[in-house]
Amino acid sequence: MNDMKGEVTQMNSKVQVPVQRNPSSQRQEAQGGLLDSVMKAVIIIGSGLFVLAAFGNSLTWHLQRFWGASGDFWQNQWTKVHRRWEGHETALFYAGAMFVPFAAFWGSNLLLMLVDYTGMPNFITRYRIQVDKNNPVDPVKLRHAVKTVVLNQLFISAPMVVVCWAVMFSRGNPCGPELPTFHRGLLEMAFCAVLEELLFYYSHRLFHHPALYKHFHKQHHEWTAPIGVVSLYAHPLEHVLSNMLPALIGPVILGSHLVTTTLWYALALVSTTISHCGYHLPFLPSPEFHDYHHLKFNQNFGVLGVLDRLHGTDANFKKTKAFERHTLLLSLTPLTESIPDPPKKVQ
């Protein structure tokens, strides 16, 4: 009997009783973990910027030679534009920072919408990522998306560009007669890209919080298989905080020249169009990353993928065939054919 009692006592001593944790301490730990992750992101991205700045001369040496050889040409073109608009810098700023990016956005999206609406030509539709979706797109749904995007651009995007103009002109003249050096322009574009990644990732992830998602971000996710124009299909609050602010703020902080600002805004709009277009086309950046986000909702919140890698919000994505296809396509064979999804299990 004594032996049995000893064994029972020994077994009881090995049983781990769950410790009741104070909810406030759990919240503090969660906040501490989030703060720690943010600090890590700042350190990693800041270090990347430092390396880029430190080795900028060597990284851009060949491109700088090209720019130096043709610099007089570009400067001469800008001088002609500057003289023609002299005394009308405000109109020049709006033409560059507003109308050129909008033209780039609608130029690319009109072509994509034609393909989405007609399901032709085949040499483009064969690169569709979700092969069984939007073939062709629902015209009623498309018209509603276009209407929302136009309203967002007219009543939100345009006024925000006006605010950018007011801030930038209060600190200097972004329409100055001298173009920035190639090296400065490249560094400013890199800074804007990193800042957009930071602001978009955290604002986007915030809108996925259950308390906010159903009221704001759910509208954007009506499209589980996105198309290009859907990139700006969003609730007005989300359009301000998650679509526009991350892209607009960089040139404002840096006091960038209008040419750099125009290039960045146009690049940002074309880039988000490609990310949402639904086609993994040859020689263009891969849209697999963000397409998977629309498909699964809880993965891939960022633009560049740096913060997703840091926070582990791409963990499931990395286990999929979509991740294997997330690369620059350098052939004419669709990646859905060369790297097909595994066959679905028959129940």
Side-chain angles (χ1 to χ4, degrees):
M1 282 292 288
N2 287 338
D3 290 342
M4 290 178 64
K5 287 180 180 179
E7 289 179 9
V8 171
T9 304
Q10 198 172 25
M11 289 174 62
N12 288 337
S13 66
K14 292 181 181 179
V15 175
Q16 295 182 351
V17 180
V19 179
Q20 295 293 329
R21 301 177 67 185
N22 191 327
S24 62
S25 66
Q26 289 179 332
R27 284 196 299 270
Q28 289 175 355
E29 286 184 16
Q31 292 171 357
L34 178 60
L35 180 61
D36 182 58
S37 296
V38 172
M39 290 301 296
K40 286 179 181 177
V42 171
I43 291 171
I44 290 174
I45 295 175
S47 300
L49 273 180
F50 176 78
V51 170
L52 178 63
F55 296 98
N57 286 328
S58 59
L59 290 172
T60 62
W61 184 75
H62 291 289
L63 292 174
Q64 182 68 57
R65 287 186 65 194
F66 165 77
W67 186 263
S70 60
D72 290 341
F73 170 79
W74 296 114
Q75 180 61 59
N76 289 338
Q77 302 311 305
W78 172 249
T79 300
K80 293 176 183 178
V81 172
H82 188 265
R83 287 175 179 170
R84 180 173 295 180
W85 293 76
E86 191 171 4
H88 304 282
E89 283 78 9
T90 299
L92 176 59
F93 184 88
Y94 291 157
M98 190 182 299
F99 294 110
V100 171
F102 284 6
F105 176 82
W106 285 109
S108 55
N109 274 290
L110 285 174
L111 174 61
L112 288 168
M113 283 191 291
L114 180 64
V115 176
D116 294 327
Y117 187 77
T118 63
M120 298 183 295
N122 181 62
F123 69 81
I124 292 180
T125 58
R126 66 195 294 256
Y127 295 102
R128 184 178 283 113
I129 296 172
Q130 298 185 45
V131 294
D132 57 338
K133 303 290 180 64
N134 297 329
N135 190 22
V137 69
D138 181 349
V140 176
K141 196 175 178 183
L142 176 61
R143 283 195 295 270
H144 176 66
V146 170
K147 178 183 176 181
T148 301
V149 170
V150 170
L151 291 175
N152 280 344
Q153 289 185 318
L154 289 177
F155 297 105
I156 298 176
S157 300
M160 289 184 75
V161 173
V162 173
V163 173
C164 291
W165 163 83
V167 174
M168 293 174 80
F169 267 88
S170 70
R171 298 166 53 197
N173 182 12
C175 303
E178 294 291 328
L179 286 178
T181 64
F182 177 82
H183 186 257
R184 177 176 174 81
L186 186 64
L187 285 176
E188 287 189 1
M189 297 282 276
F191 174 85
C192 291
V194 172
L195 186 60
E196 183 189 34
E197 170 75 1
L198 278 167
L199 295 179
F200 180 76
Y201 178 89
Y202 291 112
S203 63
H204 184 195
R205 195 169 175 186
L206 178 65
F207 276 113
H208 272 267
H209 188 281
L212 299 177
Y213 179 84
K214 62 182 178 181
H215 299 294
F216 304 107
H217 194 48
K218 186 177 180 180
Q219 177 179 344
H220 184 68
H221 274 283
E222 290 170 4
W223 292 78
T224 55
I227 61 174
V229 74
V230 169
S231 55
L232 299 185
Y233 174 70
H235 184 279
L237 182 63
E238 181 190 353
H239 188 62
V240 171
L241 298 180
S242 205
N243 288 344
M244 296 302 298
L245 189 63
L248 292 182
I249 195 66
V252 176
I253 292 173
L254 296 173
S256 299
H257 192 277
L258 175 61
V259 170
T260 308
T261 303
T262 300
L263 286 173
W264 166 246
Y265 288 172
L267 177 65
L269 284 173
V270 172
S271 176
T272 191
T273 294
I274 293 173
S275 294
H276 287 84
C277 75
Y279 301 102
H280 194 152
L281 298 169
F283 313 111
L284 288 180
S286 167
E288 300 278 354
F289 186 82
H290 195 72
D291 195 277
Y292 189 82
H293 170 75
H294 274 260
L295 184 65
K296 298 297 183 181
F297 298 97
N298 62 353
Q299 294 280 294
N300 304 351
F301 295 97
V303 179
L304 303 175
V306 176
L307 291 174
D308 285 286
R309 183 63 55 91
L310 179 68
H311 292 298
T313 47
D314 63 350
N316 292 338
F317 174 64
K318 290 190 291 185
K319 301 174 184 176
T320 67
K321 290 292 183 179
F323 176 71
E324 294 181 35
R325 294 191 290 264
H326 184 46
T327 184
L328 182 66
L329 178 56
L330 298 177
S331 73
L332 298 180
T333 303
L335 285 171
T336 50
E337 295 179 8
S338 57
I339 310 176
D341 287 322
K344 294 180 180 180
K345 295 180 180 179
V346 180
Q347 301 200 352

